[in-house]
DNA sequence: CTGTTAGCGCGTTCAA
DNA sequence: TTGAACGCGCTAACAG
């Protein structure tokens, strides 16, 4: 009766060992993926017993002794930006390819970070990937009890590795393209200025404008969204239309394009040239042939996953890994 | 020295108890969110000690005894469909709101399911939400050692709860709209027919066509993507253009719209009317004002999370929870 | 190569 | 209200 009850519940390694007629340790070794000394005959018996019982190792219990859970925390603000689609699917695939699973943590707001910290609503994961700009490296290390936090939000310190797109490259290429086409004046449509990444992006545009003798005649702040681009359009290209409009996201450029579609007959610019940022796959859609700035997402993901796969790949103080960006001309420029 | 070493490592509840000068049991109770008998004075000391040490409970170790990890597995094929964006962010937020975190598992292919099953690359989670159509209810229950698997792919059985959009409703509304506008002939652009959800969707269209005396003159199979809509367009509206084209995804409708944009001057249909499915937020963009069929995503998510929050909400054999869908007219119809 | 034993960090008896 | 002791499922270390 008691035995029956045990069978009903999820079988443990003890059950397997008992059925195979060996000790628990032998069963453990036989079941291990690594090569451990077990006689071929007993290994066979154990595997047989495990299959019979439908045994599945309890990774949580296992992690208690091995000190590694094969769990990666991915911290994001949210995932409703169009650019997220191109990224997270790859990230998931690559992470799983090295035998780890992803806990996706949505932070949403600064308050949420502090709440998570306070309540300890965070697992002791092996590593964390931080996209959200609401947390700095030290906070995240504390939050997850892990020294391996890859910062993708610009808020890294010398103790944490980071991978960042070298946006200056692509931005300079884009601005050079504009200059080559005779652009003299430009407007800039930005995202939230509180983000370090965004600040650096803006600085790159300013530097490039300066270098090519382009005058920045207007700056409008949006929030990366289509709607904010839509809303900004009248102010940007209304009264005194600049030769070119640069947006720090493709979605904002899409909003502007939709408001000014009559300025792009056959998708060719007349009044002004339009440049986006992100190189969304959406810009391959006929309706939004927006010249953009992009980088190899696969490479980006591969670099950060490399840190997860091999923690020794990072040594404190190491400079950021840079991913080259490039200008991708389409019809709007 | 040994003590120092312990301090350096992540502190355990034993360290807290020692510092507070109480037993581990008392520390455990004082730290518990639930009301447990502890003298006010000792509780204070424990909390103080915990703060001092920066103690954070190890949720994984905790789960070993409590048998609940507050971890939910979300199983998907992949996340690069546009419709995913509208869904997963909500799902994350709602799941976290009930104090649980999400492990996002990307299956990618049928082979992958079997590999996961074989290798046991899955934690003993509290529950699973299955969107991927590569797995059935029993497989998933086995995979996660959990009886609580909410099936969203149509492959549920009487032991697992399910929430499904009542697509027939919206489809009939859309077809009725077409009939009202004098549509006599229609083409249908579908997704992968191997999906149960898709099969039901197609059946609903056929039934609605029949009911309204609309003749189905052509069926083309796509894969839900923009590209497949783009590719299908010539065949669908080329030689013998039907009065209306119904697509089982908005993305495919977008592809067709882009090929046939000259047929929609001012976004108004001339040669044929166009209907999508999903009610993507993208259809609010000016360039893609596609009449669609949608449902309240917030409600959808709320219903499935309800099963997670309260496992007793489901009793075996209970019928699926239905989410009403409705026709959302835009300019293309 | 094998079996015994001692933890991993925690919650929960149960007797005091 | 307290604390000692036990067990959760597993692996590592050790002795055989």
């Amino acid at each position: 009766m008691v035995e029956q009850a045990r069978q009903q519940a999820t079988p443990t390694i003890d059950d397997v060992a008992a059925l195979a007629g060996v000790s628990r340790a032998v069963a453990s070794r036989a079941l291990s993926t690594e090569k451990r000394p077990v006689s071929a005959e007993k290994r066979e018996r154990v595997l047989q017993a495990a299959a019979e019982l439908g045994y599945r190792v309890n990774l949580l219990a296992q992690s208690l002794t091995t000190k590694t859970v094969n769990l990666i925390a991915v911290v994001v603000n949210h995932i409703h930006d169009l650019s997220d689609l191109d990224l997270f699917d790859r990230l998931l695939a690559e992470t799983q390819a090295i035998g780890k699973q992803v806990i996706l943590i949505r932070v949403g707001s600064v308050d949420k970070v502090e709440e998570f910290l306070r309540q300890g609503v965070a697992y002791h994961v092996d590593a964390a990937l931080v996209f959200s700009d609401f947390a700095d490296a030290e906070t995240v290390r504390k939050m997850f009890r892990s020294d391996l936090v890859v910062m993708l939000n610009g808020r890294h310190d010398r103790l944490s590795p980071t991978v960042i797109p070298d946006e200056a490259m692509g931005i300079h290429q884009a601005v050079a393209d504009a200059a080559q086409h005779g652009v003299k004046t430009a407007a800039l449509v930005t995202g939230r200025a509180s983000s370090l990444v965004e600040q650096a992006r803006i600085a790159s545009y300013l530097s490039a404008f300066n270098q090519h003798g382009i005058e920045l005649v207007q700056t409008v702040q949006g929030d990366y969204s289509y709607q904010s681009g839509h809303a900004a359009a009248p102010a940007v290209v209304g009264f005194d239309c600049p030769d070119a409009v640069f947006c720090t996201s493709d979605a904002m450029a899409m909003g502007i394009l939709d408001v000014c579609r009559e300025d792009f007959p056959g998708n060719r610019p007349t009044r002004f040239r339009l440049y986006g940022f992100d190189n969304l796959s959406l810009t391959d859609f006929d309706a939004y042939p927006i010249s953009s700035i992009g980088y190899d997402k696969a490479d980006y993901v591969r670099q950060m996953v490399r840190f997860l796969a091999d923690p020794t790949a990072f040594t404190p103080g190491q400079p950021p890994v840079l991913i080259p960006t490039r200008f991708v001309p389409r019809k709007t420029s």
Side-chain angles (χ1 to χ4, degrees), chain A:
Chain A
M1 204 59 160
V2 169
E3 270 313 306
Q4 279 235 345
R6 291 206 65 163
Q7 303 296 346
Q8 289 244 328
T10 70
T12 75
I13 199 171
D14 275 331
D15 299 324
V16 175
L19 183 59
V22 300
S23 78
R24 195 170 59 207
V26 170
S28 171
R29 280 171 223 150
L31 261 14
S32 168
T33 54
E34 297 170 40
K35 276 224 167 303
R36 293 282 160 70
V38 193
S39 70
E41 177 234 1
K42 294 203 174 181
R43 150 166 295 127
E44 222 23 72
R45 286 221 309 269
V46 169
L47 263 34
Q48 165 74 31
E52 201 167 310
L53 262 36
Y55 170 77
R56 187 92 11 102
V57 65
N58 183 332
L59 288 131
L60 265 30
Q62 180 176 291
S63 77
L64 205 52
T65 65
T66 60
K67 298 289 190 188
T68 153
V69 285
N70 286 335
L71 234 35
I72 307 287
V74 173
V75 184
V76 301
N77 283 349
H78 46 60
I79 50 168
H80 54 229
D81 286 349
L82 290 171
S83 55
D84 296 336
L85 273 185
D86 296 336
L87 190 63
F88 291 120
D89 194 60
R90 273 207 180 77
L91 180 53
L92 273 182
E94 293 283 334
T95 309
Q96 292 182 178
I98 61 169
K100 295 178 187 295
Q101 297 291 338
V102 165
I103 292 193
L104 193 49
I105 297 181
R106 191 192 111 115
V107 166
S109 71
V110 187
D111 297 352
K112 210 68 186 173
V113 174
E114 281 156 15
E115 188 188 324
F116 278 173
L117 250 176
R118 215 174 42 246
Q119 297 194 349
V121 184
Y123 295 79
H124 289 52
V125 294
D126 292 344
L129 256 36
V130 184
F131 293 90
S132 166
D133 55 352
F134 290 142
D136 59 38
E138 194 183 338
T139 300
V140 178
R141 284 196 296 267
K142 216 183 301 177
M143 184 165 166
F144 293 110
R145 297 271 104 124
S146 169
D147 285 337
L148 185 55
V149 302
V150 185
M151 303 299 289
L152 293 324
N153 60 1
R155 303 184 66 176
H156 50 278
D157 54 21
R158 62 184 309 283
L159 291 179
S160 292
T162 183
V163 182
I164 48 183
D166 183 3
E167 304 193 336
M169 280 182 56
I171 289 173
H172 275 82
Q173 286 176 19
V175 173
D177 173 88
Q180 206 171 357
H181 286 88
V183 167
K184 298 292 180 198
T185 58
L188 188 58
V189 182
T190 73
R192 287 185 303 108
S194 62
S195 147
L196 286 179
V197 172
E198 181 69 4
Q199 285 169 26
R201 204 175 283 178
I202 293 170
S204 290
Y205 277 106
L206 297 185
S207 144
F209 290 155
N210 193 44
Q211 187 178 321
H212 288 93
I214 291 178
E215 184 192 358
L216 176 65
V217 293
Q218 194 175 14
T219 302
V220 175
Q221 182 175 332
D223 64 0
Y224 297 126
S225 72
Y226 173 86
Q227 286 76 16
S228 72
H230 214 275
V236 176
V237 299
F239 172 61
D240 200 17
C241 184
D243 296 337
V245 177
F246 292 85
C247 303
T248 61
S249 83
D250 281 339
M252 294 193 292
M254 289 161 65
I256 290 178
L257 179 59
D258 273 342
V259 172
C260 307
R261 206 167 273 280
E262 67 275 16
D263 292 328
F264 291 82
N267 284 329
R268 303 245 150 244
T270 53
R271 275 211 304 158
F272 65 97
R273 295 170 190 278
L274 181 62
Y275 296 83
F277 197 108
D278 277 340
N279 197 28
L280 291 188
S281 50
L282 261 179
T283 53
D284 283 335
F285 286 21
D286 294 349
Y288 297 111
I290 296 172
S291 296
S292 190
I293 294 165
Y295 52 92
D296 185 345
K297 295 259 169 64
D299 189 27
Y300 183 46
V301 167
R302 206 177 305 122
Q303 292 300 328
M304 46 201 223
V305 171
R306 201 172 49 87
F307 284 123
L308 305 182
D310 175 21
T312 68
F314 174 75
T315 52
Q318 175 181 320
V321 174
L322 292 180
I323 305 294
T325 68
R326 67 179 203 290
F327 173 57
V328 182
R330 289 199 183 79
K331 297 187 177 170
T332 63
S333 67

